[in-house]
Amino acid sequence: MHPSVLVFLALGVTLTSAGTGLDAISPISTSGFQCMANMGYVFYIGRVGQSNGGIDQTGIQNIKNAWNGGFGNVDAYLFPCHSSSCPSARQQVINTVNALRNGGAYFGMLWLDVEIYNWPSDQWSNQQFILDMANQCRDMGVSVGIYTNNNNWQNIVGINWNGVAQYPLWWANYNGQQNYNGFVPFGGWTWPSIRQYKGDVWGDCNVGNVDMNWYPDGVGAPHQKYK
């Protein structure tokens, strides 16, 4: 899921050096983040909204630890819940954002995770669900991005649906390369803002089960923390 630097990328700001980061759902200590920051990692994205409709307190703590460990760019992501007992799309965003704010976990952007997992077969209703989440982010003053890839998008909403193309794309494609090679435009996106290039690996600093991410433009100094 993409750090606060992506707010700048979305606005078309030209930055300088590339950035490597990670997302993970397992707990990471402040010292773990400090170690990774010393090795050159610059951003972290933590899960907060869970697929069961709950709030991931580990993710909230990880976000705080990442800031305290020296990371300059930290975001959150929401993995939506689709069972009949789950809150509405808008309420899931409300719950996620309020949990972050009430927990003192500052974040640059909330990424909406759109991947094949319990989504209904009705693509029109799925489109509306995503629009509702994105619009609720906007109503709460939260910057929003979309995590997905071509296959997920085609199955969930249809490959050509471009209803949220105005938001940054976090593209999941595991070829192990820090580049955008192989990207085929879809959903109105002509280019990603960030790439998840490797999944479920044992990371540096003895931090396990992480996903590796990359974006081509970075900055040397931390950005503003957004509430």
Side-chain angles (χ1 to χ4, degrees), residues 37-121:
N38 290 335
M39 295 187 68
Y41 290 85
V42 297
F43 68 89
Y44 170 73
I45 308 168
R47 182 184 69 180
V48 178
Q50 299 184 93
S51 60
N52 62 4
I55 297 297
D56 186 347
Q57 295 297 330
T58 296
I60 290 177
Q61 188 61 52
N62 279 350
I63 287 171
K64 296 163 72 173
N65 290 349
W67 287 120
N68 292 332
F71 277 50
N73 305 286
V74 184
D75 283 0
Y77 75 89
L78 164 60
F79 199 126
C81 179
H82 299 287
S83 73
S84 58
S85 61
C86 292
S88 67
R90 283 183 173 270
Q91 190 63 49
Q92 289 185 49
V93 170
I94 292 170
N95 293 347
T96 300
V97 172
N98 285 345
L100 284 158
R101 289 173 171 171
N102 293 338
Y106 299 97
F107 63 103
M109 182 175 288
L110 181 63
W111 294 89
L112 307 177
D113 192 323
V114 181
E115 59 181 292
I116 301 170
Y117 183 79
N118 289 341
W119 282 82
S121 59

Side-chain angles (χ1 to χ4, degrees), residues 152-176:
N152 288 317
W153 203 249
Q154 179 171 355
N155 280 276
I156 294 169
V157 295
I159 195 67
N160 294 319
W161 184 65
N162 62 359
V164 288
Q166 67 269 39
Y167 303 117
L169 170 64
W170 179 6
W171 179 49
N173 183 273
Y174 295 169
N175 74 344

Side-chain angles (χ1 to χ4, degrees), residues 100-147:
L100 284 158
R101 289 173 171 171
N102 293 338
Y106 299 97
F107 63 103
M109 182 175 288
L110 181 63
W111 294 89
L112 307 177
D113 192 323
V114 181
E115 59 181 292
I116 301 170
Y117 183 79
N118 289 341
W119 282 82
S121 59
D122 186 339
Q123 292 189 339
W124 183 88
S125 68
N126 293 340
Q127 294 169 9
Q128 189 59 51
F129 192 98
I130 294 168
L131 286 173
D132 286 347
M133 288 195 296
N135 290 338
Q136 186 61 45
C137 288
R138 179 201 61 198
D139 293 348
M140 300 181 78
V142 172
S143 298
V144 60
I146 307 296
Y147 169 90

